[in-house]
Amino acid sequence: MKTFPPCCVLGSLLAALAALPTAAAEPASLEEARAQYWKTPHDPAAINALALRLLEAGDAAGARLLLYRAVRIAPDRVDILANLARLEAGSRAVGAMPGDAAGLPDGAQPDPALDPPPLWPARR
Amino acid sequence: MSRLAPFLILGALAAPAVHAAVDPAEALLSQARRWQSLDRHDLAQQALDKLLRIAPDHPDGLAQLALLQLRTMRRAEAAATLARLKRLHPGHQGIARVEQQHRLLAGADQSRLLAARALARSGKVDAAIAAFDALYRGRPPEGEMALEYWRLVARSERNGWARAHAGLSALVRDFPDNRRYRLALAELYLDKPPAPAKLFAELKTLSVHPDSRSQALGVWRRALLQERLDSMQRGAFVAYLREVPDDDAVKDHLAALEGEAAKLRALLADPAYRARLDAAALLDQNRLAEAEAKLDRARTRYGGEPDVLGGYGRLREKQGRYDEAIDLYRQAAAKDSDKAAWQARIANARLARQLQLAERAEAAGELDKAWAMLAEAARIKPRSVDLKVAEGRLLARRGERSGASAAYRTALKMDPGSGAALAGLVELSLAAGGAEEAERLLSSLAPARRKAFGRAYAAAQARVERERAERLLAAGRHEEAIAALQRAVAAEPQDPWHRFALANAHVAAGEAVRGERLLRELADAPGADGEALYAYALFGARIGQDRAALDALQRVAPVQRSDGMQALQRRLWLRETLRLASAELAAGRPARAGQRLDEAERQLAGDAEAMAGLARGWLALGRPERALALSARLSTSQPTPASTLRHADLLLDMDRDDEVRALLARLPAEGLAREDAEARAGLLAALAARKAERLYRDGDQDGARVVLETALAEAPNDARLLRELAAIDIAQARWPDAASRLDAAQRRAPGDDEVRLLRVDLDRLSGRLEAARSGIEQLLAEAPGRSVDFRLRVIDRLEAMGEADAARAALVRLAGAAAPTPRLWAYAARQARRDNLPDLALRRYRNGLASAPAATPFGEVPLASRPWSMLPGGAAVAADAGDALPSLGAGPLLPVASETADRVALHEAYAELLDRRTGGVQTGIELTGRKSGTAGQSSLRMAQAPLVVTIPARDEGRVFLRAEPVTMSVGTLSPDDGYSRDRFGSILLCGDEAARRACAARAGEQRATGVAFGVGYENVRWRADVGTTPIGFAVEDVVGGVRYSGDLGQLYYSVDASRRPLTSSVLTYAGTTDPASGQTWGGVRATGAAFGLGYDRGGAFGVWSNFGYHWLDGRNVKDNDRLTAMAGIYWRVVDAPTARMTVGLNSINFWFRENLSEFTLGHGGYYSPQRYNSLSLPVSYAGRGERLSYVLRGSVSVSNSREKDAPFFPNDPERQRAAGNPVYAGSSGWGSGASLGGLFEYQLAPKWVLGGRVELDYSEFYQPGRVGLYLRYSFAPPASPLPFPPEPLQPYSSF
């Protein structure tokens, strides 16, 4: 378990005060993610989205706190859990959805064993 | 016995005999009978002679001898033998047989025998049989007369063949060597072709014996000439021709059959011909889609054949397309020689067409026209069962019950097995007297009648039970309804729809699994019927088993797939694809999720409805850009109003109201189809409603009303706008306005459940509770299009009426009846919370959030408590944050699928409960100081260091344990400061100046140290605690209190009863010792009650107030009492999720009976004016970020107060007199003040929060300050954001 480093409390506090919603220099995506987060602060997807934007902005500690909270309220969201695990493993990169510039992070084809039976053709 | 039994018997006799001890008399008797049956009278005589030698009086031997004597015309000897038999064995049964034979051959019955034979010859078979039966008195004699009798019986139409078969078989069994009997039995088979294979074997056996060869070959030949292609036994032909090689007729017949067989083989190789054959069979089985496919195939080669034309005719007739059927029959008749058969079909089809027209007229309510149609039908075929049934139905519809009954009964006379007539009578009974009367009708039918109805009787029974079940369900008598449905299923076990109804009833009783099993029985059967699979799929879709439903549908043969099945399959396919995509994404495989939706997009191309669903799927996967792109593409590639409206609908879901508005502005209502115009109006209404909702939420009810009324002016028929307005009326208790709005809405949308629900609200809130209950009951019933979530809202109303048990029962029923939704799980969880089962509630929330929900919220599903284990290669790690996570490599962090609003609500409730169930530890330090006071008296420095442990407890509360070290000091009394010194304790009475100095010096520093302890419980409503003031103080006390908070309509209130310490000085809080008298005094506690009342609906402003009365006492301190009245109002000038600013106006007023603010003995050292009134203007600003929550406060105030004169020793007149009756002079006047303060909480780590507070007050004579820091550790990471505004750690003394 990680504990906070007491020597840095003041520094963190000041950093947080500096990050109060006055930051005009924040990227629009972070502002948007933050706005969405505060609209639905219990939406794990919104929490995850803000965590990713914070990570992009260099605030890994903030992202970590958010992801822990998301995992706590959505223990069945393995995707969020995976993000937390990646963060804890040292990853600081943020991927994109398939089709975006980052390409296909999980590349493989869908498992055909899971496929539903074929779709019946529409009637004329 | 079967037709083959005699041959089997013969076969058995041919087998090696198993020898047993044989009675020689019986053996001889048997021989005699056999020889006699073979007309070998000599040998029979020899056997009888031997028998009578060894047993002269043998009764059967004597009887057999008499019969032989009669047959050989030795009548005198026969008479003597009979006489001897009668004498020796008077009751022997052989006597009657001998006498019968005698009568027939030589006696009185000779002429009756001739008469019977004459009847037989003249073809009066049954009369002849009757005559023979009379003559033989039950049993024909053996021999030729027996053969003559059974051959005659075989000619009878009254089951004659079977009776003769039985009689001859008995003879063959009794006399297996008698080949005449065997030939007679073999010949009997010629009357019932085709001949069984065993017959030819028997004839071959008989043909070996010279005495039967000729006759056997004759029977054989006739049997062969009767052979048809379908029953041909080639071996029998070959065997016969081996015996009679020259029989040309048999050879020719065989050649003809073989030619036919070759032709048939060639035809059967032709798929078109096979299809022609299959079509007829399929038509017989009413498998119309398959039959049509076969006919289409057959038509390619045999299109002009009468049977193919006729097949099409039958198909169209069965499809109700009678005109086409008649035309096809006419074409078939033109090509066929058997015109009469086609004419009969044409007449039937014409009749059916006429009945169909009548039925349509009846359905349209044109009963007279229908009656005229039936009259026309009667001209086509007056004696038709179908016509009578149609008449009965129409008469029933016209309310002419007796006429209807008569018509059905006439139909039954014409066809005693008419299921339609029986069904009609049953319907009449059901309508007249319910299931009971219909049951009486059915049970009154004799068993033979029931048998005649066959399956129709079972169908009628099932119908009655279904009707009974329906009524029981409507009355909420579920168990009885299930029993009735079980009887319906028992009556027609193969009917999937009875099972479907029973399965649904099981679901309603919370037993979805039983329901599923019922339908699966049929669906799992090999070659299950399409309807059975469809019923299973429908049920599966209903209970959320989409995949099983899809798999079942896949087993329906393509030709059997109806429109309904096809629509269901496509709907389920899309649902399943979206679910799989969502699961892929949730498992961290967004590319696969995207590929699934891409593939679905490709496959569903052209299906606008499905594509709209797919766009929502993209949205749900957190890909709004794809959702928008797809929707926009649809609306541009198919630029119909419908596609534009669907696009607008999607935009509306994405909260892009302005774009929706712009889109709708480009789509004028004029010229739109009705559905599109309605959809447009609906979207506009939704926009207006959303805007109105925002205004309403902000407290601007009138603004909301204006928006809605403006929208209503543009769309006066919009029921939704009327509903919204009615809702505001209801909220404002404008009952008549609400009622008239709801009336209008109901007129425009009669089936609108939302309107009905608002009516329930109106009734409920305006006191019409019975009407509300009735409305709720109706809305709880299942109805098409009535969602689970809607019914949950209805259950809400039951709860709001305080009918918790009824709500609980309704919820259980609902949970069993439908696929659980997140909202249903949320309800189930809420119920568990009410039942004080928080762990169950948490599990239910989790179930609701699981991607594959369990069957029912009341069938508990164990869930993995460690989601970590679901990760690839997941190691078992604890769920608490901060613990090690399995390594997943260094891949990038990825976006995840979004959640629906329902699920987010579920997450929120789950998080809130989780936090209530999480304990923690808080500790901190708070420093309080006041420099303005007098050293040794009112100058205060206090440090409190609370340590609080909270443990989750019942009713979602927490138990807290507190230990609070306190140290306080007011400094040292200066012996040189005469003014202050003489106003402490009773130093004034110490004597002269030097003595007073000495007394003051004894006082030393006024400080106190101790540890307060407390234990308590709190939840959202209650707080109760008991504890001590710091142990170690001069005055120690038990303190505590109880507080309850609740709602009173739109207001909130709290009631508090407590005993608490006052802390303004060492004297007040800890008590101290008088250096002059050694007396301890102080330790003031306030005991009393307070009542708070306020209003805050989250809108633009709020109001608060508090009123209290407390009695104040302390050791050696004069008693006092205090009345307080405080109130305030505040406005939210900023109210955003991350920032709130309020300004307000507060008035604080209190009145003390006594002025005890000084530090002489008997005073309490606490500010106690006789009147204090202040008016302050507070301003506060609260802000928050992800890790920080803070609030800054400030206020300015003016006050006016009055203190009366106070004696130095208020509760000690002696001292007061001794001191010369000194008094502290009272005062009054105005004052002003200001205060500043702030709080913050900062999240250091998932479980650690640092908090702090600063408060500074400033007034002319009073400048206290307070500063504190605290740490909060939670046993698990908090699931909710930091409290907003912060909730600082309070010392126990501040309770």
Side-chain angles (χ1 to χ4, degrees):
Chain A
M1 186 178 70
K2 298 211 171 183
T3 54
F4 66 95
C7 62
C8 300
V9 167
L10 191 58
S12 302
L13 185 56
L14 291 174
L17 281 167
L20 288 180
T22 54
E26 275 186 354
S29 58
L30 176 53
E31 266 184 65
E32 202 178 300
R34 185 169 269 140
Q36 185 57 41
Y37 168 80
W38 284 115
K39 240 191 250 178
T40 51
H42 290 93
D43 178 354
I47 302 174
N48 184 78
L50 178 57
L52 265 55
R53 300 290 86 81
L54 286 175
L55 189 60
E56 282 174 337
D59 183 3
R64 178 172 174 267
L65 286 179
L66 286 172
L67 288 177
Y68 266 103
R69 198 162 76 72
V71 166
R72 174 92 167 128
I73 63 179
D76 301 303
R77 291 291 302 254
V78 183
D79 46 0
I80 298 176
L81 187 62
N83 275 344
L84 176 57
R86 288 173 192 133
L87 184 73
E88 294 289 40
S91 176
R92 294 294 180 268
V94 175
M97 280 291 188
D100 295 346
L104 305 177
D106 56 317
Q109 292 292 317
D111 181 1
L114 295 173
D115 286 347
L119 176 72
W120 291 1
R123 297 241 159 140
R124 273 166 297 192
Chain B
M1 185 180 283
S2 82
R3 294 172 67 194
L4 299 179
F7 300 118
L8 297 176
I9 293 164
L10 293 180
L13 286 169
V18 176
H19 295 282
V22 175
D23 179 357
E26 285 303 314
L28 287 167
L29 180 64
S30 176
Q31 277 181 23
R33 277 182 177 155
R34 185 155 55 91
W35 293 126
Q36 201 166 331
S37 77
L38 297 171
D39 288 339
R40 294 297 306 270
H41 305 311
D42 52 339
L43 294 174
Q45 185 68 57
Q46 284 176 20
L48 286 172
D49 288 347
K50 284 180 192 167
L51 167 64
L52 292 172
R53 267 202 296 280
I54 59 172
D57 298 333
H58 195 287
D60 288 323
L62 288 172
Q64 201 61 39
L65 179 61
L67 288 171
L68 179 65
Q69 289 164 338
L70 280 172
R71 295 281 294 275
T72 52
M73 303 303 283
R74 293 180 284 161
R75 289 176 185 165
E77 290 171 50
T81 307
L82 178 61
R84 188 169 167 220
L85 177 63
K86 281 181 172 175
R87 191 177 69 249
L88 293 172
H89 307 285
H92 188 261
Q93 58 180 6
I95 295 169
R97 290 184 58 206
V98 177
E99 285 177 341
Q100 179 200 50
Q101 190 81 345
H102 180 258
R103 282 198 309 275
L104 290 168
L105 297 178
D109 288 346
Q110 213 169 3
S111 59
R112 292 172 66 195
L113 180 63
L114 293 173
R117 284 175 175 161
L119 282 170
R121 275 196 303 277
S122 65
K124 295 174 179 170
V125 175
D126 290 326
I129 292 169
F132 276 116
D133 284 344
L135 205 54
Y136 296 155
R137 292 170 196 168
R139 182 181 169 184
E142 289 162 7
E144 279 306 316
M145 293 173 93
L147 287 178
E148 175 191 32
Y149 176 78
W150 290 120
R151 282 176 180 143
L152 175 67
V153 169
R155 289 162 59 195
S156 169
E157 287 182 359
R158 295 182 182 172
N159 202 25
W161 191 92
R163 284 158 58 203
H165 182 263
L168 287 171
S169 298
L171 282 176
V172 169
R173 192 171 52 239
D174 291 346
F175 301 102
D177 293 342
N178 190 323
R179 283 185 284 280
R180 278 184 302 152
Y181 289 161
R182 287 167 65 181
L183 275 169
L185 179 60
E187 200 172 359
L188 187 67
Y189 282 93
L190 295 180
D191 296 338
K192 277 249 167 156
K198 287 279 180 182
L199 171 66
F200 291 112
E202 169 73 345
L203 289 170
K204 192 176 174 185
T205 307
L206 289 171
S207 69
V208 173
H209 301 282
D211 61 339
S212 57
R213 176 176 172 77
S214 162
Q215 210 176 337
L217 287 173
V219 174
W220 196 342
R221 183 174 191 269
R222 283 164 60 199
L224 288 175
L225 292 175
Q226 283 183 349
E227 286 287 87
R228 294 281 172 267
L229 185 60
D230 54 354
S231 63
M232 184 178 80
Q233 298 179 51
R234 200 169 186 287
F237 275 93
V238 173
Y240 175 80
L241 288 172
R242 209 174 284 135
E243 299 292 332
V244 192
D246 302 331
D247 193 331
D248 292 337
V250 171
K251 279 199 254 180
D252 290 348
H253 188 57
L254 175 61
L257 289 178
E258 285 185 330
E260 274 181 48
K263 232 191 271 178
L264 185 61
R265 274 196 299 277
L267 280 171
L268 287 175
D270 174 10
Y273 185 80
R274 284 204 308 274
R276 184 176 167 185
L277 295 180
D278 293 345
L282 289 167
L283 281 169
D284 290 343
Q285 295 166 28
N286 280 325
R287 291 158 66 180
L288 303 188
E290 293 162 90
E292 182 156 18
K294 295 285 183 190
L295 283 170
D296 288 345
R297 187 71 196 259
R299 190 172 56 180
T300 56
R301 285 196 62 177
Y302 305 99
E305 295 292 329
D307 67 311
V308 175
L309 289 165
Y312 270 116
R314 284 179 67 199
L315 174 71
R316 299 296 175 235
E317 190 175 344
K318 283 171 183 280
Q319 289 172 333
R321 294 156 66 176
Y322 298 113
D323 287 332
E324 292 170 63
I326 291 165
D327 186 45
L328 286 158
Y329 288 148
R330 283 188 178 135
Q331 290 178 43
K335 297 192 175 187
D336 199 348
S337 53
D338 186 3
K339 310 280 187 213
W342 294 115
Q343 289 309 325
R345 282 198 178 277
I346 289 168
N348 284 340
R350 283 180 58 210
L351 175 70
R353 178 181 59 183
Q354 203 58 31
L355 295 178
Q356 184 188 50
L357 291 172
E359 200 173 328
R360 284 182 187 158
E362 185 191 329
E366 299 170 322
L367 302 190
D368 292 338
K369 187 176 169 187
W371 193 249
M373 299 279 185
L374 291 185
E376 183 64 29
R379 276 192 281 282
I380 296 168
K381 197 170 177 183
R383 281 191 57 77
S384 157
V385 176
D386 292 343
L387 173 63
K388 284 292 154 201
V389 170
E391 282 177 5
R393 197 176 53 238
L394 184 55
L395 287 165
R397 175 86 189 272
R398 283 161 44 151
E400 297 175 39
R401 189 166 183 266
S402 60
S405 176
Y408 288 135
R409 289 184 191 283
T410 306
L412 282 177
K413 272 187 199 141
M414 291 158 71
D415 175 8
S418 168
L422 177 65
L425 282 173
V426 165
E427 290 301 329
L428 278 181
S429 303
L430 286 174
E436 290 66 29
E437 180 157 338
E439 192 172 28
R440 274 196 293 280
L441 167 79
L442 289 177
S443 55
S444 71
L445 295 172
R449 293 289 307 277
R450 295 180 197 181
K451 204 173 166 190
F453 284 119
R455 292 174 62 181
Y457 183 79
Q461 281 182 311
R463 168 76 185 96
V464 172
E465 296 301 343
R466 290 283 298 270
E467 175 73 16
R468 193 198 310 275
E470 206 165 295
R471 291 186 188 186
L472 288 167
L473 281 174
R477 292 158 65 184
H478 281 77
E479 281 181 21
E480 294 164 79
I482 283 175
L485 287 169
Q486 281 169 335
R487 289 192 291 274
V489 171
E492 290 192 296
Q494 294 303 311
D495 185 314
W497 302 111
H498 298 330
R499 286 175 182 248
F500 186 71
L502 177 55
N504 283 326
H506 278 317
V507 165
E511 293 187 281
V513 176
R514 284 185 72 182
E516 194 265 353
R517 204 181 300 137
L518 259 177
L519 286 161
R520 187 148 46 81
E521 259 175 29
L522 288 189
D524 276 357
D529 174 45
E531 289 292 298
L533 293 165
Y534 184 33
Y536 178 80
L538 272 177
F539 185 76
R542 183 171 172 207
I543 60 169
Q545 297 192 358
D546 288 0
R547 190 49 179 267
L550 271 174
D551 290 342
L553 282 175
Q554 201 56 25
R555 290 173 49 215
V556 179
V559 289
Q560 283 188 341
R561 293 173 184 176
S562 65
D563 288 350
M565 293 178 195
Q566 196 255 4
L568 178 65
Q569 204 270 354
R570 289 177 70 82
R571 203 165 62 241
L572 288 177
W573 188 89
L574 177 59
R575 235 158 66 175
E576 179 66 359
T577 299
L578 293 177
R579 187 191 68 76
L580 283 169
S582 184
E584 298 271 25
L585 194 57
R589 295 190 292 269
R592 293 190 193 179
Q595 279 174 337
R596 284 197 183 277
L597 293 203
D598 281 332
E599 178 59 20
E601 216 172 301
R602 195 185 62 71
Q603 292 205 41
L604 292 165
D607 186 339
E609 196 70 43
M611 293 297 252
L614 196 55
R616 286 202 149 62
W618 280 117
L619 193 61
L621 286 195
R623 304 288 304 274
E625 79 291 351
R626 288 295 304 264
L628 268 183
L630 175 60
S631 181
R633 200 165 65 240
L634 272 176
S635 69
T636 47
S637 66
Q638 301 175 16
T640 60
S643 65
T644 306
L645 289 164
R646 271 197 288 264
H647 185 53
D649 199 22
L650 183 77
L651 289 170
L652 191 71
D653 275 6
M654 297 170 74
D655 295 338
R656 297 164 80 141
D657 292 11
D658 291 342
E659 289 171 67
V660 178
R661 228 170 260 122
L663 214 53
L664 295 182
R666 292 202 298 273
L667 192 72
E670 292 76 31
L672 287 182
R674 193 171 59 83
E675 299 83 21
D676 294 339
E678 281 174 6
R680 183 182 181 278
L683 286 168
L684 280 171
L687 281 174
R690 190 182 278 178
K691 188 173 175 186
E693 193 186 328
R694 275 197 294 268
L695 289 168
Y696 189 87
R697 210 175 37 232
D698 293 345
D700 186 0
Q701 295 187 351
D702 292 334
R705 182 187 292 280
V706 169
V707 166
L708 291 171
E709 280 174 345
T710 308
L712 189 64
E714 285 179 25
N717 286 324
D718 194 284
R720 176 178 181 157
L721 294 172
L722 284 164
R723 280 197 327 247
E724 300 288 344
L725 279 163
I728 295 180
D729 289 333
I730 291 171
Q732 295 180 337
R734 294 154 65 145
W735 313 132
D737 289 349
S740 70
R741 298 244 199 236
L742 291 178
D743 287 344
Q746 205 145 17
R747 276 196 300 277
R748 285 164 179 80
D752 189 334
D753 279 347
E754 293 292 345
V755 176
R756 297 172 70 190
L757 189 57
L758 278 171
R759 178 87 62 188
V760 166
D761 286 337
L762 173 61
D763 290 337
R764 180 170 64 86
L765 295 169
S766 62
R768 298 177 62 231
L769 296 184
E770 270 315 305
R773 263 184 217 109
S774 157
I776 286 172
E777 200 170 308
Q778 288 169 27
L779 288 174
L780 279 176
E782 196 175 337
R786 190 173 287 166
S787 70
V788 173
D789 289 353
F790 175 81
R791 286 195 281 168
L792 285 170
R793 288 166 54 212
V794 180
I795 294 173
D796 261 347
R797 271 55 179 187
L798 267 182
E799 285 181 5
M801 289 171 72
E803 303 196 0
D805 289 343
R808 180 189 304 268
L811 186 61
V812 170
R813 274 203 306 280
L814 183 59
T821 61
R823 201 177 287 186
L824 185 54
W825 281 110
Y827 261 74
R830 212 167 73 190
Q831 196 175 74
R833 290 174 74 167
R834 269 200 304 270
D835 294 344
N836 198 27
L837 297 167
D839 291 336
L840 178 61
L842 285 173
R843 208 155 61 234
R844 286 177 174 174
Y845 285 130
R846 289 276 300 274
N847 281 352
L849 293 167
S851 53
T856 152
F858 298 95
E860 302 309 334
V861 179
L863 284 170
S865 61
R866 294 175 305 174
W868 273 241
S869 61
M870 294 164 69
L871 287 171
V877 279
D880 280 352
D883 295 336
L885 286 167
S887 170
L888 288 178
L893 278 75
L894 296 172
V896 299
S898 63
E899 300 264 13
T900 61
D902 279 351
R903 285 176 58 90
V904 170
L906 211 53
H907 280 300
E908 188 169 352
Y910 177 64
E912 180 217 8
L913 181 57
L914 266 184
D915 284 346
R916 288 191 190 177
R917 301 293 302 155
T918 304
V921 181
Q922 290 188 78
T923 187
I925 183 156
E926 184 167 299
L927 307 173
T928 308
R930 192 166 58 233
K931 283 186 176 174
S932 55
T934 306
Q937 291 181 357
S938 56
S939 167
L940 177 69
R941 287 194 311 279
M942 176 162 67
Q944 301 176 91
L947 172 69
V948 184
V949 177
T950 51
I951 302 161
R954 59 170 294 125
D955 291 328
E956 297 186 11
R958 293 171 187 178
V959 167
F960 55 82
L961 308 166
R962 307 185 67 109
E964 195 168 294
V966 180
T967 176
M968 64 192 303
S969 167
V970 291
T972 306
L973 196 65
S974 168
D976 301 329
D977 179 358
Y979 182 86
S980 303
R981 181 196 64 206
D982 294 347
R983 282 164 177 72
F984 186 78
S986 57
I987 291 177
L988 183 63
L989 298 176
C990 278
D992 58 11
E993 175 69 15
R996 292 206 291 273
R997 276 173 183 271
C999 278
R1002 278 203 301 276
E1005 185 189 355
Q1006 291 296 302
R1007 66 176 293 136
T1009 302
V1011 181
F1013 296 96
V1015 59
Y1017 168 88
E1018 67 181 330
N1019 66 12
V1020 288
R1021 296 269 177 221
W1022 290 95
R1023 187 181 75 181
D1025 66 280
V1026 63
T1028 65
T1029 56
I1031 305 297
F1033 278 10
V1035 179
E1036 295 165 354
D1037 258 317
V1038 172
V1039 290
V1042 179
R1043 186 182 67 197
Y1044 178 80
S1045 309
D1047 295 316
L1048 209 64
Q1050 305 253 319
L1051 305 177
Y1052 66 86
Y1053 71 94
S1054 66
V1055 183
D1056 181 293
S1058 64
R1059 176 171 175 78
R1060 304 281 176 207
L1062 273 64
T1063 59
S1064 35
S1065 65
V1066 169
L1067 170 65
T1068 315
Y1069 189 15
T1072 189
T1073 305
D1074 175 15
S1077 65
Q1079 263 188 312
T1080 298
W1081 94 111
V1084 181
R1085 323 292 177 220
T1087 307
F1091 174 72
L1093 188 66
Y1095 169 87
D1096 190 339
R1097 310 293 291 177
F1101 74 98
V1103 176
W1104 66 275
S1105 68
N1106 191 279
F1107 308 91
Y1109 171 80
H1110 291 85
W1111 170 62
L1112 288 83
D1113 67 322
R1115 190 180 299 175
N1116 295 321
V1117 176
K1118 185 174 173 65
D1119 289 349
N1120 202 353
D1121 54 31
R1122 178 183 70 194
L1123 200 60
T1124 50
M1126 300 183 271
I1129 181 167
Y1130 49 88
W1131 290 268
R1132 293 190 173 94
V1133 291
V1134 175
D1135 190 10
T1138 55
R1140 271 181 216 162
M1141 183 169 169
T1142 59
V1143 297
L1145 181 65
N1146 290 340
S1147 170
I1148 294 175
N1149 309 280
F1150 46 85
W1151 298 264
F1152 284 85
R1153 185 164 46 82
E1154 300 293 340
N1155 178 3
L1156 299 174
S1157 52
E1158 298 299 333
F1159 293 84
T1160 42
L1161 202 59
H1163 275 266
Y1166 59 93
Y1167 182 52
S1168 42
Q1170 277 53 67
R1171 175 176 58 75
Y1172 176 87
N1173 309 109
S1174 85
L1175 206 58
S1176 63
L1177 294 171
V1179 180
S1180 96
Y1181 179 86
R1184 65 172 164 175
E1186 293 82 60
R1187 303 178 71 174
L1188 179 74
S1189 176
Y1190 64 94
V1191 60
L1192 302 171
R1193 295 177 186 142
S1195 74
V1196 291
S1197 61
V1198 292
S1199 60
N1200 185 283
S1201 61
R1202 182 183 70 79
E1203 285 177 294
K1204 67 178 182 182
D1205 294 348
F1208 267 44
F1209 304 103
N1211 56 351
D1212 191 342
E1214 293 277 325
R1215 279 201 174 92
Q1216 180 65 15
R1217 258 198 313 279
N1221 203 21
V1223 293
Y1224 298 106
S1227 66
S1228 64
W1230 289 91
S1232 62
S1235 72
L1236 270 178
L1239 300 168
F1240 79 91
E1241 281 189 359
Y1242 178 74
Q1243 188 161 18
L1244 299 166
K1247 297 179 185 176
W1248 290 93
V1249 170
L1250 172 73
R1253 68 194 294 172
V1254 178
E1255 281 178 22
L1256 299 170
D1257 286 324
Y1258 178 83
S1259 62
E1260 198 175 348
F1261 302 107
Y1262 186 64
Q1263 293 98 29
R1266 184 148 77 145
V1267 61
L1269 270 180
Y1270 58 92
L1271 264 179
R1272 187 165 65 230
Y1273 173 78
S1274 302
F1275 296 142
S1280 298
L1282 289 171
F1284 181 56
E1287 292 168 359
L1289 174 62
Q1290 294 278 6
Y1292 194 32
S1293 57
S1294 304
F1295 263 42

